[in-house]
Amino acid sequence: MAEEEIFILTDHDGSEREFKELFSFDSKDFNRAYIILEPVSVNEGEDMDVVPFIYDKDADEGMLQPLETDEEYDMVEEVMNTIFNDPKLQ
C-alpha cells in the first residue's frame, strides 16, 4: 500500500493543519486536475471541512491552487455531491 501524502496548509491566522486526499479527478471541461482534501484529524465537536484545490502534482511549487471561477466551484461542488450522495461511489 502506498504511503498517504500529507499536505500542510496554513490558514489565515497562521495556524498549520494537516490534510490528506479524500479524492481527486480530472475535468476535461476545464482541462485541469482537482483534489479534495480532508483534515487528518478533527477535534471532537468540530466540523470536518473538505477543501477543494486545482491540483498540479508535477509543479515544483504551487502544487495546490485555489479555484478561480464560480463555474469551477459549481463543477467541483457537483462532483462532490455526486460522490458523497451515491452509495456505489463511497
Side-chain angles (χ1 to χ4, degrees), residues 4 11 17-18 27 35 38 41-42 63 78-79 90:
E4 195 171 70
D11 66 15
R17 190 152 181 205
E18 294 182 341
S27 169
I35 189 168
E38 68 177 348
S41 62
V42 178
M63 176 185 292
E78 184 175 324
V79 170
Q90 295 181 6

Side-chain angles (χ1 to χ4, degrees), residues 72-83:
E72 276 184 307
Y73 278 103
D74 292 343
M75 180 273 302
V76 169
E77 184 175 46
E78 184 175 324
V79 170
M80 289 189 326
N81 287 337
T82 299
I83 289 175

Side-chain angles (χ1 to χ4, degrees), residues 8 11 23 27 47-48 63 68:
I8 299 174
D11 66 15
F23 66 91
S27 169
D47 289 334
M48 183 185 85
M63 176 185 292
E68 296 176 347

Side-chain angles (χ1 to χ4, degrees), residues 2-60:
E3 189 170 320
E4 195 171 70
E5 184 172 3
I6 300 296
F7 297 87
I8 299 174
L9 303 179
T10 305
D11 66 15
H12 59 278
D13 295 329
S15 300
E16 290 185 345
R17 190 152 181 205
E18 294 182 341
F19 287 80
K20 62 183 178 181
E21 179 178 346
L22 184 59
F23 66 91
S24 60
F25 65 96
D26 294 325
S27 169
K28 291 181 182 178
D29 292 337
F30 290 94
N31 198 29
R32 292 184 169 163
Y34 297 88
I35 189 168
I36 310 302
L37 303 178
E38 68 177 348
V40 170
S41 62
V42 178
N43 297 325
E44 191 171 324
E46 182 180 31
D47 289 334
M48 183 185 85
D49 291 328
V50 296
V51 186
F53 287 98
I54 297 167
Y55 182 48
D56 184 355
K57 61 185 167 208
D58 297 324
D60 291 334

